[in-house]
Amino acid sequence: MEAVVFLNVDIGAEDRIMEELAAIPEVKAVYFVYGPYDIIIKIDAPDVEKIRSIVRDKVRKIEGIRSTTTLVVAKSHVKTSPPHA
């Protein structure tokens, strides 16, 4: 099961927070973005309860994270890139 988490973080703490998020085994991708959120992460876990515990016990405990919004993926389609010539 996958989830996408949108984070608002303290100004100037983005790089440190990204490193801490990347160190969480269930976090599969970390993106710094421009817009209403500062960082987006993708989480892979066996079930919704595990996603909830990762966000609550690992992600939200990182100093400098002001807020999180979690979206659980209901269905996905991932495009694969053709090999580069």
Side-chain angles (χ1 to χ4, degrees), residues 8-80:
N8 288 113
V9 304
D10 290 340
I11 294 171
E14 298 90 353
D15 290 339
R16 176 187 53 79
I17 290 171
M18 288 181 72
E19 288 179 22
E20 291 187 49
L21 290 165
I24 299 170
E26 297 87 357
V27 172
K28 301 305 176 189
V30 181
Y31 305 98
F32 175 77
V33 296
Y34 296 113
Y37 299 99
D38 304 310
I39 296 173
I40 298 173
I41 63 173
K42 289 172 65 175
I43 294 175
D44 189 21
D47 54 49
V48 174
E49 181 57 34
K50 183 65 174 172
I51 290 170
R52 186 175 77 84
S53 71
I54 293 163
V55 173
R56 181 192 64 218
D57 300 332
K58 295 181 181 181
V59 173
R60 293 189 67 147
K61 301 278 183 180
I62 295 173
E63 185 178 334
I65 293 179
R66 294 192 318 252
S67 67
T68 62
T69 301
T70 303
L71 304 176
V72 175
V73 176
K75 186 176 182 180
S76 67
H77 176 79
V78 178
K79 276 187 165 180
T80 56

